[in-house]
Amino acid sequence: MSINSISEIEFGADLPAFEPDTSLSAGSEFADLVGWTGGRFSSHELAKKEGFPSAIIPGIMSQGYLIAMIHNWAPSAEIKKVDTIFRAPVLADEGHSITGVVTDIDEESSLVEVDLTVTNSKNETRVFGTATVYIP
Amino acid sequence: MILDLHTHSIKSDDGRAKVNNYCQWIRSKDINIDGFVLTEHRQFDLESDYSPLAKKFDLCILKGAEVETEYGHVLIFGVTEPLMKCFDFSSTHLALADVLSACETHNAVAAPCHPGRKRVGMWAHLEEFGVPDGVKIVEVKNGGSRGEEDQVAQGMADELNYLGIGGSDSHIVSHVGRCATRFPSAFNTEAALVEALQAGEFEALSLK
């Protein structure tokens, strides 16, 4: 169900789960598009030479997925801020999922705060953060 | 009584949770804890008074600190103003021996946290610095652990005869209560928490 008004939102509500495309090809293509040419995004082998366990997904691509998830949930939302803390790299070709949950509602200012967590298939938190979202 | 002994609020540089929202979350999601300890990074929050929130939500809200030593990060319970004068909480290069000694003098408890974690955990530094004297308690269940970190922590605790506590290490609201510590009786002051830890009768829990 998509959200159109702040009055529809309840504290603790889950956003629909989101499974981002964290394949090597998607990460590599994104890195190319934004002009990030490092091998860490395009090759598992080159990433290992740089000290990573395997190729990684660009951080701003992960942030893009967080934003996409919020817009899937509330298409009219205006995202004021996404504040992320990268605890560990998001590894390419590993399955990840993103969860979001409403943790603050300020009806006066029409602002909602959402906790966001990116976990891998072992349920380890790789990235977490919060988004501040304006929903009329 | 079950307390999450390791949480961060917006007072910490990387904390994003408001204490009011922790309380709301615990009650609205029926999280199985009776309260939590705010262990802000490199500081003790003298100014905040959470007693109205504690009363409103019927939760125990206590304050501690998380400081940084050559053995990694260390939780401190029972912080007082005299203890705060013994060393610089904001330093990232404290000597664990100084922290332990000051805590002993001022009836506080210091417990290395996420000891199985690379770089910021105690296990990673044992080879270089040796086993430190005076550690009695370590965090063996941490809500932010990845891979084998908690197993490493528990293995170290078993080997070195340390007692184990648990805490979520939450930085956002929805992560509170993922790990916690069960005590045999209820209390609601920092001094009583210190007593309970010194008594040694507690159990680390994973509530993930």
Side-chain angles (χ1 to χ4, degrees):
Chain A
M1 188 186 83
S2 64
I3 295 292
N4 296 302
S5 157
I6 195 164
S7 62
E8 298 169 39
I9 300 171
E10 285 182 14
F11 181 91
D14 291 312
L15 278 65
F18 188 83
E19 295 206 354
D21 179 358
T22 50
S23 64
L24 179 64
S25 57
S28 177
E29 189 181 350
F30 183 95
D32 270 350
L33 284 169
V34 297
W36 290 6
T37 53
R40 66 182 67 176
F41 305 119
S42 58
S43 156
H44 292 307
E45 206 170 279
L46 291 174
K48 281 178 187 166
K49 282 184 185 164
E50 289 188 49
F52 293 100
S54 68
I56 62 172
I57 295 298
I60 53 170
M61 184 174 173
S62 294
Q63 287 186 315
Y65 282 134
L66 299 177
I67 288 165
M69 182 199 199
I70 293 167
H71 276 143
N72 283 349
W73 168 66
S76 60
E78 187 184 320
I79 296 168
K80 296 288 187 187
K81 187 171 80 171
V82 173
D83 183 3
T84 43
I85 293 164
F86 288 79
R87 278 289 189 248
V90 173
L91 300 178
D93 284 339
E94 261 196 25
H96 290 80
S97 60
I98 306 177
T99 54
V101 63
V102 175
T103 56
D104 198 16
I105 302 170
D106 182 348
E107 292 209 30
E108 261 182 38
S109 57
S110 288
L111 291 175
V112 170
E113 196 141 297
V114 178
D115 275 8
L116 299 159
T117 309
V118 180
T119 50
N120 65 9
S121 52
K122 293 179 203 158
N123 205 26
E124 297 169 340
T125 299
R126 313 302 284 184
V127 183
F128 66 81
T130 56
T132 306
V133 182
Y134 174 78
I135 300 175
Chain B
M1 178 187 209
I2 299 176
L3 278 186
D4 180 342
L5 293 184
H6 188 172
T7 68
H8 300 274
S9 76
I10 50 175
K11 292 266 176 187
S12 289
D13 50 5
D14 59 353
R16 301 293 180 263
K18 295 174 202 137
V19 178
N20 178 54
N21 294 143
Y22 271 147
C23 298
Q24 263 187 291
W25 181 263
I26 291 164
R27 288 306 178 214
S28 69
K29 295 287 182 181
D30 286 330
I31 306 292
N32 187 26
I33 59 174
D34 301 294
F36 52 93
V37 184
L38 291 154
T39 49
E40 311 294 3
H41 288 293
R42 299 178 301 281
Q43 61 180 300
F44 179 73
D45 174 16
L46 269 174
E47 61 189 16
S48 302
D49 175 10
Y50 297 118
S51 54
L53 275 180
K55 193 174 173 192
K56 180 180 172 188
F57 289 95
D58 190 23
L59 285 167
C60 173
I61 307 175
L62 303 178
K63 296 189 289 187
E66 181 175 354
V67 298
E68 300 184 14
T69 75
E70 81 278 33
Y71 280 91
H73 294 188
V74 177
L75 299 174
I76 304 182
F77 305 105
V79 179
T80 56
E81 288 190 63
L83 175 65
M84 291 172 74
K85 290 180 182 146
C86 293
F87 56 86
D88 177 6
F89 275 51
S90 69
S91 169
T92 55
H93 296 93
L94 292 169
L96 178 62
D98 292 345
V99 172
L100 290 166
S101 160
C103 287
E104 181 84 25
T105 303
H106 292 281
N107 200 32
V109 169
C113 52
H114 40 69
R117 194 167 297 171
K118 287 177 186 168
R119 201 171 54 78
V120 295
M122 182 176 150
W123 174 254
H125 302 284
L126 290 183
E127 198 175 308
E128 186 181 359
F129 300 124
V131 176
D133 289 331
V135 173
K136 293 172 186 161
I137 300 171
V138 295
E139 185 185 63
V140 293
K141 292 191 189 300
N142 176 289
S145 287
R146 295 182 296 275
E148 307 295 307
E149 288 173 2
D150 278 355
Q151 287 92 319
V152 169
Q154 186 63 63
M156 183 188 76
D158 292 343
E159 191 185 323
L160 298 174
N161 212 20
Y162 297 148
L163 298 170
I165 56 171
S168 67
D169 201 359
S170 59
H171 290 73
I172 58 175
V173 172
S174 55
H175 288 184
V176 71
R178 288 179 160 193
C179 292
T181 305
R182 188 202 311 272
F183 295 93
S185 54
F187 49 82
N188 61 6
T189 66
E190 280 88 4
L193 169 61
V194 167
E195 257 183 59
L197 288 167
Q198 288 169 337
E201 288 178 22
F202 48 80
E203 176 194 6
L205 305 172
S206 175
L207 305 170
K208 286 180 199 174

CSV table of all heavy atoms in Angstrom, one decimal, chain A residues 11-14 83-85 87-88 101-105 113 115-117 119 122-126 128-130, chain B residues 13-16 18 20-21 24-25 28-29 41 117 143-148 169 171-175 178 208:
chain,number,residue,atom,x,y,z
A,11,PHE,N,3.3,5.2,13.9
A,11,PHE,CA,4.6,5.0,14.5
A,11,PHE,C,4.9,3.5,14.4
A,11,PHE,O,4.0,2.7,14.8
A,11,PHE,CB,4.7,5.5,15.9
A,11,PHE,CG,6.0,5.3,16.6
A,11,PHE,CD1,7.0,6.2,16.6
A,11,PHE,CD2,6.2,4.1,17.3
A,11,PHE,CE1,8.2,6.0,17.2
A,11,PHE,CE2,7.5,3.9,17.9
A,11,PHE,CZ,8.4,4.9,17.9
A,12,GLY,N,6.1,3.1,14.0
A,12,GLY,CA,6.5,1.7,14.0
A,12,GLY,C,6.1,0.9,12.7
A,12,GLY,O,6.4,-0.2,12.6
A,13,ALA,N,5.4,1.6,11.8
A,13,ALA,CA,5.0,1.0,10.6
A,13,ALA,C,6.2,0.6,9.7
A,13,ALA,O,7.2,1.3,9.6
A,13,ALA,CB,4.1,1.9,9.8
A,14,ASP,N,6.1,-0.6,9.2
A,14,ASP,CA,7.2,-1.1,8.3
A,14,ASP,C,7.0,-0.6,6.9
A,14,ASP,O,5.9,-0.6,6.3
A,14,ASP,CB,7.2,-2.6,8.2
A,14,ASP,CG,7.7,-3.2,9.5
A,14,ASP,OD1,8.7,-2.8,10.1
A,14,ASP,OD2,7.0,-4.1,10.0
A,83,ASP,N,20.7,10.1,6.0
A,83,ASP,CA,21.9,10.1,6.8
A,83,ASP,C,22.4,8.7,7.0
A,83,ASP,O,21.7,7.9,7.8
A,83,ASP,CB,21.5,10.8,8.1
A,83,ASP,CG,22.7,11.0,9.1
A,83,ASP,OD1,23.8,10.6,8.7
A,83,ASP,OD2,22.5,11.5,10.2
A,84,THR,N,23.4,8.3,6.4
A,84,THR,CA,23.8,6.8,6.4
A,84,THR,C,25.1,6.6,7.1
A,84,THR,O,26.0,7.5,7.1
A,84,THR,CB,23.9,6.3,5.0
A,84,THR,OG1,24.6,7.2,4.2
A,84,THR,CG2,22.6,5.9,4.4
A,85,ILE,N,25.3,5.5,7.8
A,85,ILE,CA,26.5,5.1,8.4
A,85,ILE,C,26.9,3.8,7.8
A,85,ILE,O,26.1,2.8,8.0
A,85,ILE,CB,26.4,5.1,10.0
A,85,ILE,CG1,26.1,6.5,10.5
A,85,ILE,CG2,27.6,4.5,10.6
A,85,ILE,CD1,25.6,6.6,11.8
A,87,ARG,N,28.8,0.6,8.0
A,87,ARG,CA,29.5,-0.2,9.0
A,87,ARG,C,30.4,-1.2,8.3
A,87,ARG,O,31.4,-1.6,8.9
A,87,ARG,CB,28.5,-0.9,9.9
A,87,ARG,CG,28.0,-0.1,11.0
A,87,ARG,CD,29.1,0.1,12.1
A,87,ARG,NE,28.5,0.7,13.3
A,87,ARG,CZ,28.8,2.0,13.7
A,87,ARG,NH1,29.6,2.7,13.0
A,87,ARG,NH2,28.3,2.4,14.8
A,88,ALA,N,30.0,-1.6,7.1
A,88,ALA,CA,30.8,-2.6,6.4
A,88,ALA,C,30.3,-2.4,4.9
A,88,ALA,O,29.2,-1.9,4.6
A,88,ALA,CB,30.4,-4.0,6.8
A,101,VAL,N,11.5,1.5,8.7
A,101,VAL,CA,10.5,1.5,9.7
A,101,VAL,C,10.3,3.0,10.2
A,101,VAL,O,11.3,3.7,10.3
A,101,VAL,CB,10.8,0.5,10.8
A,101,VAL,CG1,12.0,0.9,11.6
A,101,VAL,CG2,9.6,0.4,11.7
A,102,VAL,N,9.1,3.4,10.4
A,102,VAL,CA,8.8,4.7,10.9
A,102,VAL,C,9.1,4.8,12.4
A,102,VAL,O,8.6,4.1,13.2
A,102,VAL,CB,7.3,5.1,10.6
A,102,VAL,CG1,7.0,6.5,11.2
A,102,VAL,CG2,7.0,5.1,9.1
A,103,THR,N,10.0,5.8,12.7
A,103,THR,CA,10.4,5.9,14.1
A,103,THR,C,10.1,7.3,14.7
A,103,THR,O,10.4,7.5,15.9
A,103,THR,CB,11.9,5.6,14.3
A,103,THR,OG1,12.6,6.4,13.5
A,103,THR,CG2,12.2,4.1,14.0
A,104,ASP,N,9.5,8.2,13.9
A,104,ASP,CA,9.1,9.5,14.5
A,104,ASP,C,8.2,10.1,13.5
A,104,ASP,O,8.4,10.0,12.3
A,104,ASP,CB,10.4,10.4,14.7
A,104,ASP,CG,10.1,11.5,15.7
A,104,ASP,OD1,9.1,11.5,16.4
A,104,ASP,OD2,10.9,12.5,15.7
A,105,ILE,N,7.1,10.7,14.1
A,105,ILE,CA,6.1,11.4,13.2
A,105,ILE,C,5.9,12.8,13.9
A,105,ILE,O,5.5,12.9,15.0
A,105,ILE,CB,4.8,10.6,13.2
A,105,ILE,CG1,5.0,9.2,12.6
A,105,ILE,CG2,3.8,11.4,12.3
A,105,ILE,CD1,3.8,8.3,12.8
A,113,GLU,N,10.4,10.4,10.3
A,113,GLU,CA,11.7,9.9,10.4
A,113,GLU,C,11.6,8.4,10.2
A,113,GLU,O,10.7,7.7,10.7
A,113,GLU,CB,12.4,10.2,11.7
A,113,GLU,CG,13.9,10.0,11.6
A,113,GLU,CD,14.6,11.0,12.4
A,113,GLU,OE1,14.6,12.2,12.1
A,113,GLU,OE2,15.3,10.6,13.4
A,115,ASP,N,13.9,4.8,10.0
A,115,ASP,CA,15.1,4.0,10.2
A,115,ASP,C,15.3,3.1,9.0
A,115,ASP,O,14.4,2.4,8.6
A,115,ASP,CB,15.0,3.1,11.4
A,115,ASP,CG,15.4,3.8,12.7
A,115,ASP,OD1,15.5,5.0,12.7
A,115,ASP,OD2,15.5,3.1,13.8
A,116,LEU,N,16.5,3.1,8.5
A,116,LEU,CA,16.8,2.3,7.3
A,116,LEU,C,18.0,1.3,7.7
A,116,LEU,O,19.0,1.8,8.3
A,116,LEU,CB,17.3,3.2,6.2
A,116,LEU,CG,16.2,4.2,5.7
A,116,LEU,CD1,16.8,5.4,5.0
A,116,LEU,CD2,15.2,3.5,4.8
A,117,THR,N,17.9,0.1,7.3
A,117,THR,CA,19.0,-0.9,7.5
A,117,THR,C,19.2,-1.7,6.3
A,117,THR,O,18.2,-2.3,5.7
A,117,THR,CB,18.6,-1.8,8.7
A,117,THR,OG1,18.2,-1.0,9.8
A,117,THR,CG2,19.8,-2.6,9.1
A,119,THR,N,20.9,-5.1,5.2
A,119,THR,CA,21.5,-6.3,5.7
A,119,THR,C,21.9,-7.3,4.6
A,119,THR,O,21.2,-7.2,3.5
A,119,THR,CB,20.5,-7.1,6.7
A,119,THR,OG1,19.3,-7.2,6.0
A,119,THR,CG2,20.3,-6.3,7.9
A,122,LYS,N,23.3,-13.0,5.5
A,122,LYS,CA,23.5,-13.5,6.9
A,122,LYS,C,22.9,-12.7,8.0
A,122,LYS,O,23.1,-12.9,9.2
A,122,LYS,CB,25.1,-13.6,7.2
A,122,LYS,CG,25.8,-14.6,6.3
A,122,LYS,CD,27.3,-14.5,6.7
A,122,LYS,CE,28.2,-15.0,5.5
A,122,LYS,NZ,29.5,-14.5,5.6
A,123,ASN,N,22.1,-11.7,7.5
A,123,ASN,CA,21.4,-10.8,8.4
A,123,ASN,C,22.3,-9.9,9.2
A,123,ASN,O,22.0,-9.4,10.3
A,123,ASN,CB,20.5,-11.6,9.4
A,123,ASN,CG,19.3,-10.7,9.9
A,123,ASN,OD1,18.9,-9.8,9.2
A,123,ASN,ND2,18.8,-11.0,11.1
A,124,GLU,N,23.5,-9.7,8.6
A,124,GLU,CA,24.4,-8.7,9.2
A,124,GLU,C,24.1,-7.3,8.7
A,124,GLU,O,24.0,-7.1,7.5
A,124,GLU,CB,25.9,-9.1,8.8
A,124,GLU,CG,26.4,-10.4,9.3
A,124,GLU,CD,27.7,-10.8,8.7
A,124,GLU,OE1,28.0,-10.3,7.6
A,124,GLU,OE2,28.3,-11.7,9.2
A,125,THR,N,24.1,-6.4,9.6
A,125,THR,CA,23.9,-5.0,9.2
A,125,THR,C,25.2,-4.4,8.5
A,125,THR,O,26.3,-4.5,9.0
A,125,THR,CB,23.6,-4.1,10.4
A,125,THR,OG1,22.4,-4.6,11.0
A,125,THR,CG2,23.4,-2.6,10.0
A,126,ARG,N,25.0,-4.0,7.3
A,126,ARG,CA,26.1,-3.4,6.5
A,126,ARG,C,26.0,-1.9,6.6
A,126,ARG,O,27.0,-1.2,6.7
A,126,ARG,CB,26.1,-3.9,5.1
A,126,ARG,CG,25.9,-5.3,4.9
A,126,ARG,CD,26.9,-6.2,5.6
A,126,ARG,NE,28.2,-6.2,4.9
A,126,ARG,CZ,29.3,-6.9,5.3
A,126,ARG,NH1,29.2,-7.7,6.3
A,126,ARG,NH2,30.4,-6.9,4.6
A,128,PHE,N,23.4,1.4,8.0
A,128,PHE,CA,22.2,1.8,8.7
A,128,PHE,C,22.1,3.3,8.6
A,128,PHE,O,23.1,4.0,8.4
A,128,PHE,CB,22.0,1.3,10.1
A,128,PHE,CG,23.0,1.8,11.1
A,128,PHE,CD1,22.9,3.0,11.7
A,128,PHE,CD2,24.1,1.0,11.4
A,128,PHE,CE1,23.8,3.5,12.6
A,128,PHE,CE2,25.1,1.5,12.3
A,128,PHE,CZ,24.9,2.7,12.9
A,129,GLY,N,20.9,3.9,8.9
A,129,GLY,CA,20.8,5.3,8.9
A,129,GLY,C,19.4,5.7,9.1
A,129,GLY,O,18.5,4.9,9.4
A,130,THR,N,19.1,7.0,8.9
A,130,THR,CA,17.8,7.5,9.0
A,130,THR,C,17.5,8.4,7.9
A,130,THR,O,18.4,9.0,7.3
A,130,THR,CB,17.6,8.3,10.3
A,130,THR,OG1,18.6,9.3,10.4
A,130,THR,CG2,17.8,7.4,11.6
B,13,ASP,N,28.2,11.1,18.3
B,13,ASP,CA,28.4,11.6,16.9
B,13,ASP,C,27.8,10.8,15.8
B,13,ASP,O,27.3,11.3,14.8
B,13,ASP,CB,29.9,11.9,16.7
B,13,ASP,CG,30.8,10.7,17.0
B,13,ASP,OD1,30.2,9.6,17.3
B,13,ASP,OD2,32.0,10.8,16.9
B,14,ASP,N,27.7,9.4,16.1
B,14,ASP,CA,27.1,8.6,15.1
B,14,ASP,C,25.8,8.0,15.5
B,14,ASP,O,25.2,7.1,14.9
B,14,ASP,CB,28.1,7.4,14.7
B,14,ASP,CG,28.4,6.6,15.9
B,14,ASP,OD1,28.1,6.9,17.0
B,14,ASP,OD2,29.1,5.5,15.7
B,15,GLY,N,25.2,8.6,16.6
B,15,GLY,CA,23.9,8.1,17.0
B,15,GLY,C,22.8,8.9,16.4
B,15,GLY,O,22.9,10.1,16.2
B,16,ARG,N,21.7,8.3,16.0
B,16,ARG,CA,20.6,8.9,15.3
B,16,ARG,C,19.3,8.8,16.0
B,16,ARG,O,18.3,9.1,15.4
B,16,ARG,CB,20.5,8.4,13.9
B,16,ARG,CG,21.8,8.5,13.0
B,16,ARG,CD,22.1,10.0,12.7
B,16,ARG,NE,23.3,10.1,11.9
B,16,ARG,CZ,24.5,10.3,12.4
B,16,ARG,NH1,24.7,10.5,13.7
B,16,ARG,NH2,25.5,10.4,11.6
B,18,LYS,N,16.6,9.4,19.0
B,18,LYS,CA,16.1,10.2,20.2
B,18,LYS,C,15.7,9.3,21.3
B,18,LYS,O,15.0,8.3,21.0
B,18,LYS,CB,15.0,11.2,19.7
B,18,LYS,CG,15.4,12.2,18.7
B,18,LYS,CD,14.2,13.0,18.2
B,18,LYS,CE,14.5,13.6,16.8
B,18,LYS,NZ,13.4,13.4,15.9
B,20,ASN,N,13.4,9.6,23.5
B,20,ASN,CA,11.9,9.5,23.5
B,20,ASN,C,11.4,8.4,22.5
B,20,ASN,O,10.6,7.6,22.8
B,20,ASN,CB,11.3,10.9,23.1
B,20,ASN,CG,9.8,10.8,23.1
B,20,ASN,OD1,9.2,10.4,24.0
B,20,ASN,ND2,9.2,11.2,22.0
B,21,ASN,N,12.1,8.4,21.4
B,21,ASN,CA,11.7,7.4,20.3
B,21,ASN,C,12.1,6.0,20.7
B,21,ASN,O,11.4,5.0,20.4
B,21,ASN,CB,12.2,7.8,19.0
B,21,ASN,CG,11.7,9.1,18.4
B,21,ASN,OD1,12.3,9.9,17.8
B,21,ASN,ND2,10.4,9.3,18.7
B,24,GLN,N,9.3,5.0,23.0
B,24,GLN,CA,8.1,4.7,22.2
B,24,GLN,C,8.2,3.4,21.5
B,24,GLN,O,7.2,2.6,21.4
B,24,GLN,CB,7.9,5.8,21.1
B,24,GLN,CG,7.0,6.9,21.4
B,24,GLN,CD,6.8,7.8,20.2
B,24,GLN,OE1,7.8,8.5,19.8
B,24,GLN,NE2,5.6,7.8,19.6
B,25,TRP,N,9.4,3.1,20.9
B,25,TRP,CA,9.6,1.9,20.2
B,25,TRP,C,9.5,0.7,21.1
B,25,TRP,O,8.8,-0.3,20.7
B,25,TRP,CB,11.0,1.9,19.5
B,25,TRP,CG,11.3,0.7,18.7
B,25,TRP,CD1,12.0,-0.4,19.1
B,25,TRP,CD2,10.9,0.5,17.3
B,25,TRP,NE1,12.1,-1.3,18.1
B,25,TRP,CE2,11.5,-0.8,17.0
B,25,TRP,CE3,10.2,1.2,16.4
B,25,TRP,CZ2,11.3,-1.3,15.7
B,25,TRP,CZ3,10.0,0.7,15.1
B,25,TRP,CH2,10.6,-0.6,14.8
B,28,SER,N,5.8,0.3,21.9
B,28,SER,CA,4.8,-0.1,20.8
B,28,SER,C,5.1,-1.4,20.2
B,28,SER,O,4.3,-2.1,19.7
B,28,SER,CB,4.8,1.0,19.8
B,28,SER,OG,6.1,1.0,19.1
B,29,LYS,N,6.4,-1.8,20.3
B,29,LYS,CA,6.8,-3.1,19.7
B,29,LYS,C,6.9,-4.2,20.7
B,29,LYS,O,7.3,-5.4,20.4
B,29,LYS,CB,8.1,-3.0,19.0
B,29,LYS,CG,8.1,-2.1,17.7
B,29,LYS,CD,7.3,-2.7,16.6
B,29,LYS,CE,7.3,-1.8,15.4
B,29,LYS,NZ,6.5,-2.4,14.2
B,41,HIS,N,29.4,7.8,23.1
B,41,HIS,CA,30.8,7.7,22.7
B,41,HIS,C,31.6,8.9,23.3
B,41,HIS,O,31.2,10.1,23.2
B,41,HIS,CB,31.0,7.8,21.2
B,41,HIS,CG,30.5,6.6,20.5
B,41,HIS,ND1,31.2,5.4,20.6
B,41,HIS,CD2,29.5,6.4,19.6
B,41,HIS,CE1,30.6,4.5,19.8
B,41,HIS,NE2,29.6,5.1,19.2
B,117,ARG,N,35.5,-7.7,17.7
B,117,ARG,CA,35.5,-6.9,16.5
B,117,ARG,C,37.0,-6.5,16.2
B,117,ARG,O,37.8,-6.2,17.1
B,117,ARG,CB,34.6,-5.7,16.7
B,117,ARG,CG,34.3,-5.0,15.4
B,117,ARG,CD,33.2,-4.0,15.6
B,117,ARG,NE,31.9,-4.6,16.0
B,117,ARG,CZ,30.9,-4.0,16.5
B,117,ARG,NH1,30.8,-2.7,16.5
B,117,ARG,NH2,29.8,-4.7,16.8
B,143,GLY,N,24.6,-6.3,19.6
B,143,GLY,CA,23.6,-6.3,18.5
B,143,GLY,C,24.1,-6.0,17.2
B,143,GLY,O,23.5,-6.2,16.2
B,144,GLY,N,25.3,-5.4,17.1
B,144,GLY,CA,25.9,-5.0,15.8
B,144,GLY,C,26.9,-5.9,15.3
B,144,GLY,O,27.6,-5.6,14.3
B,145,SER,N,27.1,-7.0,16.0
B,145,SER,CA,28.2,-8.0,15.6
B,145,SER,C,27.9,-8.6,14.2
B,145,SER,O,26.8,-8.9,13.9
B,145,SER,CB,28.3,-9.1,16.6
B,145,SER,OG,28.9,-8.6,17.8
B,146,ARG,N,29.0,-8.8,13.5
B,146,ARG,CA,29.0,-9.5,12.2
B,146,ARG,C,29.8,-10.7,12.3
B,146,ARG,O,30.8,-10.8,13.1
B,146,ARG,CB,29.5,-8.5,11.1
B,146,ARG,CG,28.6,-7.3,10.9
B,146,ARG,CD,29.2,-6.5,9.8
B,146,ARG,NE,30.5,-5.9,10.1
B,146,ARG,CZ,30.7,-4.8,10.8
B,146,ARG,NH1,29.7,-4.1,11.2
B,146,ARG,NH2,31.9,-4.4,11.0
B,147,GLY,N,29.5,-11.6,11.4
B,147,GLY,CA,30.4,-12.9,11.3
B,147,GLY,C,30.5,-13.6,12.6
B,147,GLY,O,29.5,-13.8,13.3
B,148,GLU,N,31.8,-13.9,13.0
B,148,GLU,CA,32.0,-14.6,14.2
B,148,GLU,C,32.4,-13.8,15.4
B,148,GLU,O,32.9,-14.3,16.4
B,148,GLU,CB,33.2,-15.6,13.9
B,148,GLU,CG,33.1,-16.5,12.7
B,148,GLU,CD,32.0,-17.4,12.8
B,148,GLU,OE1,31.9,-18.2,13.8
B,148,GLU,OE2,31.1,-17.5,11.9
B,169,ASP,N,24.1,-2.1,21.2
B,169,ASP,CA,25.0,-1.1,20.5
B,169,ASP,C,24.1,-0.4,19.5
B,169,ASP,O,24.6,-0.1,18.4
B,169,ASP,CB,26.1,-1.8,19.8
B,169,ASP,CG,27.3,-1.0,19.5
B,169,ASP,OD1,27.2,0.3,19.8
B,169,ASP,OD2,28.3,-1.5,19.0
B,171,HIS,N,22.3,2.4,17.4
B,171,HIS,CA,22.5,3.8,17.1
B,171,HIS,C,21.2,4.4,16.4
B,171,HIS,O,21.2,5.6,16.2
B,171,HIS,CB,23.7,3.9,16.1
B,171,HIS,CG,25.0,3.7,16.7
B,171,HIS,ND1,25.4,2.4,17.1
B,171,HIS,CD2,26.0,4.5,17.0
B,171,HIS,CE1,26.6,2.5,17.6
B,171,HIS,NE2,27.0,3.7,17.6
B,172,ILE,N,20.3,3.5,16.0
B,172,ILE,CA,19.0,4.0,15.5
B,172,ILE,C,18.0,3.3,16.3
B,172,ILE,O,18.2,2.3,17.0
B,172,ILE,CB,18.9,3.7,14.0
B,172,ILE,CG1,19.0,2.2,13.7
B,172,ILE,CG2,19.9,4.5,13.2
B,172,ILE,CD1,18.7,1.9,12.2
B,173,VAL,N,16.8,3.9,16.3
B,173,VAL,CA,15.7,3.5,17.2
B,173,VAL,C,15.4,2.0,17.1
B,173,VAL,O,15.3,1.3,18.1
B,173,VAL,CB,14.5,4.4,16.9
B,173,VAL,CG1,13.3,3.9,17.7
B,173,VAL,CG2,14.7,5.8,17.2
B,174,SER,N,15.2,1.5,15.9
B,174,SER,CA,14.7,0.2,15.7
B,174,SER,C,15.7,-0.9,16.1
B,174,SER,O,15.4,-2.1,16.0
B,174,SER,CB,14.2,0.0,14.3
B,174,SER,OG,15.2,0.3,13.4
B,175,HIS,N,16.9,-0.5,16.5
B,175,HIS,CA,17.9,-1.6,16.8
B,175,HIS,C,18.0,-1.8,18.3
B,175,HIS,O,18.8,-2.6,18.8
B,175,HIS,CB,19.3,-1.2,16.3
B,175,HIS,CG,19.4,-1.3,14.8
B,175,HIS,ND1,20.6,-1.1,14.1
B,175,HIS,CD2,18.5,-1.7,13.8
B,175,HIS,CE1,20.3,-1.3,12.8
B,175,HIS,NE2,19.1,-1.6,12.6
B,178,ARG,N,18.2,-5.5,20.8
B,178,ARG,CA,18.6,-6.7,20.1
B,178,ARG,C,19.5,-7.6,20.9
B,178,ARG,O,19.4,-8.8,20.7
B,178,ARG,CB,19.5,-6.3,18.8
B,178,ARG,CG,18.6,-5.6,17.8
B,178,ARG,CD,19.5,-5.2,16.6
B,178,ARG,NE,18.7,-5.1,15.4
B,178,ARG,CZ,19.1,-5.0,14.2
B,178,ARG,NH1,20.4,-5.0,13.9
B,178,ARG,NH2,18.3,-4.8,13.2
B,208,LYS,N,17.6,-11.0,19.1
B,208,LYS,CA,17.4,-10.6,17.7
B,208,LYS,C,16.3,-11.4,17.1
B,208,LYS,O,16.2,-12.6,17.4
B,208,LYS,CB,18.7,-10.9,17.0
B,208,LYS,CG,19.8,-9.9,17.3
B,208,LYS,CD,21.1,-10.3,16.5
B,208,LYS,CE,22.3,-9.6,17.0
B,208,LYS,NZ,23.6,-10.0,16.4
